Amino acid sequence: MIIFPNAKINIGLNITERRTDGYHNLETIFYPINLKDALEVVKSDALSFTSSGIEIPGRAEDNLCVKGYHMLKKDFDLPPVKIHLHKNIPIGAGLGGGSADAAFFIRLMNEEFKLGLSVEEMTDYARRLGADCAFFIENKPVYAFEKGDEFENIKLDLSAYKIVLVMPPVHVSTGEAYGGVKPTPVKDSLFDLINEPITEWRKHIKNDFETSIFKNQVEIRGVKAALYQAGAIYASMSGSGASVFGIFDHEPDVEFLKEENEVYFV
């Protein structure tokens, strides 16, 4: 019972309005990438959670996989399980690693214990755990809107390109990210802009979090500039940061970025 949750990047992110429930409406493109955790679940005498790899902050009972178990347990007669997560996706990077773990946990439980949940039902469960958890149930490129948990399918295939992901040694809190953003309705939706040639994305597709975060986090701003200097067609911070990705039409030389950052070819 092992599954490998993968990360995502955001191509564009517009914060369009503040909601009455405390969240924000937004629009973004979610694109899955080949950077993965490993999640193992086995039957046990008691529910437990352990982890290895990157240290996961907080209490085990607050982990989204554990919360997912209790959520499903309310509706299904589940046995106790031992959950082990090997964490490889950087934390606090805007890559959705924790959300991916939770969604893949639901998928694994559904398969292993034959819960009979449809894709739509698994998606509804995932929404309860976090805004972007639902994306990882189907795990394919989508245009996301509202809280980031409603989707429209898009045709986007970047397999012909090289994607470099850089994680600088800094942390951006969600509060810091949203505190510097002024919600603004969009004139041209990402649903249409994503169909433009990638060479045009730099002119039209932006991440609203960058403006304020780049003022306070010069390292992140510097990574984006470095990716463009290395020849990226398009570069952007993912989500609320702190990771930055670059899309290249060639094998880039980014060895210099490895001196101070974690660099992944995804």
Side-chain angles (χ1 to χ4, degrees):
M1 294 175 62
I2 299 178
I3 201 166
F4 299 93
N6 61 270
K8 58 79 181 166
I9 53 175
N10 296 77
I11 302 174
L13 201 163
N14 297 317
I15 308 298
T16 57
E17 63 180 343
R18 190 182 304 275
R19 297 165 55 101
T20 56
D21 59 7
Y23 288 90
H24 290 77
N25 280 337
L26 56 85
E27 64 160 17
T28 189
I29 303 297
F30 285 142
Y31 190 86
I33 59 172
N34 190 31
L35 177 61
K36 299 179 179 181
D37 290 339
L39 178 65
E40 181 181 35
V41 178
V42 296
K43 290 182 181 178
S44 181
D45 294 330
L47 174 65
S48 65
F49 175 86
T50 56
S51 66
S52 55
I54 298 171
E55 184 177 355
I56 301 173
R59 304 180 305 167
E61 55 264 38
D62 293 329
N63 185 272
L64 288 180
C65 293
V66 176
K67 289 185 175 182
Y69 175 86
H70 289 302
M71 176 182 66
L72 292 172
K73 178 70 173 174
K74 291 179 180 178
D75 296 334
F76 299 94
D77 184 20
L78 296 176
V81 295
K82 177 181 179 181
I83 306 168
H84 183 79
L85 175 62
H86 182 76
K87 195 69 186 163
N88 183 55
I89 301 171
I91 296 171
L95 300 173
S99 296
D101 297 334
F104 274 68
F105 176 80
I106 292 171
R107 289 168 50 180
L108 185 58
M109 295 294 286
N110 183 53
E111 178 180 352
E112 183 63 23
F113 295 110
K114 297 178 173 53
L115 304 184
L117 295 172
S118 66
V119 168
E120 291 76 16
E121 288 169 328
M122 286 191 289
T123 300
D124 286 340
Y125 275 114
R127 282 193 182 97
R128 301 184 200 175
L129 296 176
D132 59 356
C133 286
F135 160 72
F136 292 100
I137 295 297
E138 292 196 80
N139 201 33
K140 61 184 181 181
V142 294
Y143 167 75
F145 56 99
E146 293 195 4
K147 291 189 296 184
D149 60 354
E150 298 291 338
F151 314 115
E152 287 190 37
N153 293 328
I154 58 171
K155 292 183 179 179
L156 179 61
D157 182 2
L158 299 176
S159 61
Y161 298 88
K162 307 292 184 183
I163 301 178
V164 176
L165 180 73
V166 182
M167 181 64 185
V170 296
H171 176 74
V172 178
S173 70
T174 303
E176 176 188 355
Y178 277 96
V181 172
K182 181 180 179 181
T184 306
V186 295
K187 179 181 178 183
D188 299 307
S189 173
L190 285 169
F191 185 77
D192 299 313
L193 292 175
I194 200 66
N195 294 313
E196 295 288 324
I198 294 181
T199 52
E200 297 296 308
W201 287 3
R202 186 175 180 177
K203 301 176 185 176
H204 306 294
I205 296 180
K206 60 181 175 57
N207 181 334
D208 278 350
F209 287 121
E210 287 187 354
T211 301
S212 62
I213 288 176
F214 282 7
K215 290 179 182 178
N216 301 322
Q217 304 282 2
V218 294
E219 296 94 340
I220 305 176
R221 182 178 70 221
V223 167
K224 181 177 178 179
L227 288 169
Y228 273 129
Q229 290 170 3
I233 305 171
Y234 179 76
S236 174
M237 189 172 71
S238 184
S240 57
S243 70
V244 182
F245 65 90
I247 302 174
F248 296 80
D249 60 5
H250 62 280
E251 193 75 42
D253 180 6
V254 291
E255 283 296 315
F256 68 99
L257 284 170
K258 295 180 179 180
E259 295 179 6
E260 298 181 356
N261 312 278
E262 298 174 44
V263 178
Y264 305 86
F265 293 83
V266 296

